[in-house]
Amino acid sequence: MREKYLIKRRRTKKVYVGGIGIGGDFPVTVQSMTNTKTHDVRSTVNQILSLEEAGCDLVRVAVPDTAAAEAIAEIKKNIHIPLVADIHFDYRLALEAVKNGADKVRINPGNIGGLDRIRKVVEAARERRIPIRIGVNSGSLERDILDKYGAPCAEALVESALRNVSILEGLDFGDIVISIKSSDVLTTVRAYELLAQKVDYPFHLGVTEAGTKFSGTVKSSVGLGILLYEGIGDTIRVSLTGDPVDEVRAGKEILKSLNLIESGVNLISCPTCGRCEIDLIGMAREVEDKLKDIKRPIKVAVMGCIVNGPGEAREADIGIAGGTGRVAVFKKGRILKTVPASEAVEVLISEIHKMLEEDK
Ligand code: SF4
């Protein structure tokens, strides 16, 4: 087995969100945000359960009104991962969300009102021992900072974050996570890099408003990939216009591709070419779908022909390599059998389940 390259992560303080640690030596976590009406408890819980199934580590809900803040108590009873309340403008909603059991609140102290109001939120968070995420966003920078810089550049995001940090530190509160997101990938990257030189709080990474499933996944993968490779980032959210389950899948794939987590299937499949004589694209899709619920780390190769196929299939835990009408099935570096192409997926899936049982 090849030695794995590992990323050296930036040293940060640790915070705890419910049972999950963020920062320090804790693994990078994946989070998402529901897009149901939070007060619609049933829909929100159902969506969170789907997110859990996809591997979401913590989930955020919007709290735009009292009904949403009150719903948190009921939602929490029916889910199994920590819940973050996302609040803007109204400090009373933050207090209500904390009272109802939120495990973390995302606010911008700068837009929550005067110091008295911020103090009340901080006291509530301190009492319940929950962290606050300062969530700076290029779309909602303070007026004076925007005027100073003329546009939401990296320096402006950093200044806003530091201002918000100093408000909380001034209240002797250090249980902080920070995000500074821009919809521009390189602005996001630069902002986090600059901020990493100035504070040692853990970072929530994201490229905000990244777009739809395809373009948003690419933008997020590039932005978050650069930062994570530099060791920056403790929890991530891929922000997509679409089903939040796809955000979690994308987030997990980003972390897997950087060896930051070992979880689920790492599918190695070739792009196919003129040498391929089996329906490899269909087979790879079917294999991916049939294995999507597996949580244990396993490397599966689905390869089109004998050029790279046997090599990759041998490097993987298990795999197939196509031939003419028949497919070789490899397991732990050895050819197990050859089967007709039409049976290959079924045989592969059954061998994978057998292998997972054997390795228990
Ligand atoms: Fe083409 Fe074979 Fe390579 Fe797949 S493994 S891309 S079929 S040469």
Side-chain angles (χ1 to χ4, degrees), residues 38 82 142 167 186 236 267 280 288 304 313 332 356:
T38 305
E142 293 91 332
I167 294 173
L186 290 182
I236 65 169
L267 183 66
L280 190 87
E288 184 173 48
K332 296 191 170 161
L356 291 173

Side-chain angles (χ1 to χ4, degrees), residues 1-275:
M1 209 37 158
R2 273 182 305 211
E3 197 189 330
K4 274 193 171 174
Y5 297 114
L6 292 176
I7 289 169
K8 190 168 182 299
R9 289 177 55 206
R10 159 182 170 259
R11 291 179 74 87
T12 72
K13 293 179 173 157
K14 295 176 199 166
V15 304
Y16 293 89
V17 183
I20 303 265
I22 297 179
D25 294 330
F26 290 114
V28 182
T29 47
V30 172
Q31 52 180 290
S32 182
M33 184 167 182
T34 54
N35 57 14
T36 54
K37 295 290 176 204
T38 305
H39 65 252
D40 177 353
V41 173
R42 183 190 289 201
S43 304
T44 304
V45 165
N46 282 342
Q47 192 169 64
I48 294 174
L49 294 178
S50 305
L51 293 169
E52 287 181 8
E53 194 59 37
C56 187
D57 297 303
L58 49 157
V59 66
R60 180 159 47 117
V61 298
V63 181
D65 50 32
T66 311
E70 286 173 354
I72 289 175
E74 200 52 36
I75 295 168
K76 285 260 309 173
K77 282 186 204 155
N78 294 286
I79 64 170
H80 316 89
I81 53 176
L83 182 143
V84 185
D86 188 279
I87 291 131
H88 286 279
F89 310 123
D90 190 342
Y91 79 105
R92 287 165 303 187
L93 295 176
L95 295 179
E96 196 61 31
V98 173
K99 192 175 100 191
N100 282 289
D103 297 296
K104 175 178 161 196
V105 286
R106 178 272 169 113
I107 55 168
N108 287 342
N111 80 15
I112 215 96
L115 199 58
D116 268 9
R117 294 175 173 188
I118 299 167
R119 183 176 285 117
K120 283 189 179 135
V121 177
V122 165
E123 286 317 320
R126 198 194 319 269
E127 195 181 310
R128 299 264 176 150
R129 296 172 162 221
I130 64 170
I132 292 176
R133 168 158 70 96
I134 294 168
V136 174
N137 193 303
S138 56
S140 52
L141 275 173
E142 293 91 332
R143 190 71 254 168
D144 64 313
I145 293 182
L146 260 184
D147 288 345
K148 177 175 166 187
Y149 291 95
C153 56
E155 290 76 9
L157 292 165
V158 170
E159 184 165 330
S160 172
L162 293 177
R163 178 185 290 181
N164 283 294
V165 166
S166 71
I167 294 173
L168 296 188
E169 286 180 341
L171 295 167
D172 199 23
F173 188 85
D175 220 0
I176 298 171
V177 178
I178 310 173
S179 63
I180 39 173
K181 303 183 185 180
S182 165
S183 51
D184 179 74
V185 173
L186 290 182
T187 303
T188 303
V189 169
R190 190 70 196 126
Y192 279 103
E193 287 174 342
L194 289 174
L195 192 64
Q197 294 165 16
K198 297 187 183 294
V199 295
D200 62 357
Y201 295 111
F203 289 169
H204 161 125
L205 297 188
V207 174
T208 194
E209 291 107 29
T212 50
K213 185 169 163 181
F214 183 76
S215 62
T217 301
V218 173
K219 278 193 216 168
S220 298
S221 305
V222 172
L224 273 48
I226 293 170
L227 287 164
L228 290 165
Y229 182 72
E230 291 173 350
I232 296 172
D234 305 282
T235 179
I236 65 169
R237 184 208 175 180
V238 172
S239 157
L240 299 177
T241 309
D243 184 347
V245 167
D246 289 326
E247 297 186 351
V248 176
R249 292 206 180 112
K252 290 273 177 198
E253 283 304 318
I254 292 171
L255 297 186
K256 273 197 273 178
S257 67
L258 293 168
N259 292 340
L260 284 164
I261 53 166
E262 280 202 329
S263 146
V265 173
N266 179 2
L267 183 66
I268 315 293
S269 62
C270 79
T272 78
C273 69
R275 291 184 193 89

Side-chain angles (χ1 to χ4, degrees), residues 269-278 280 302-310 312 321-322:
S269 62
C270 79
T272 78
C273 69
R275 291 184 193 89
C276 187
E277 304 211 24
I278 54 174
L280 190 87
V302 178
M303 301 293 292
C305 81
I306 55 161
V307 174
N308 296 320
E312 284 292 356

Side-chain angles (χ1 to χ4, degrees), residues 280-296:
L280 190 87
I281 296 174
M283 287 163 110
R285 275 204 199 113
E286 201 182 337
V287 168
E288 184 173 48
D289 186 57
K290 290 200 160 132
L291 299 179
K292 70 179 187 305
D293 294 329
I294 288 181
K295 300 280 183 284
R296 299 237 312 268

Side-chain angles (χ1 to χ4, degrees), residues 336-357:
L336 200 62
K337 55 180 125 177
T338 65
V339 297
S342 58
E343 294 169 22
V345 171
E346 202 186 316
V347 172
L348 178 67
I349 301 292
S350 126
E351 288 298 334
I352 287 171
H353 287 296
K354 232 191 269 173
M355 193 167 95
L356 291 173
E357 274 302 306

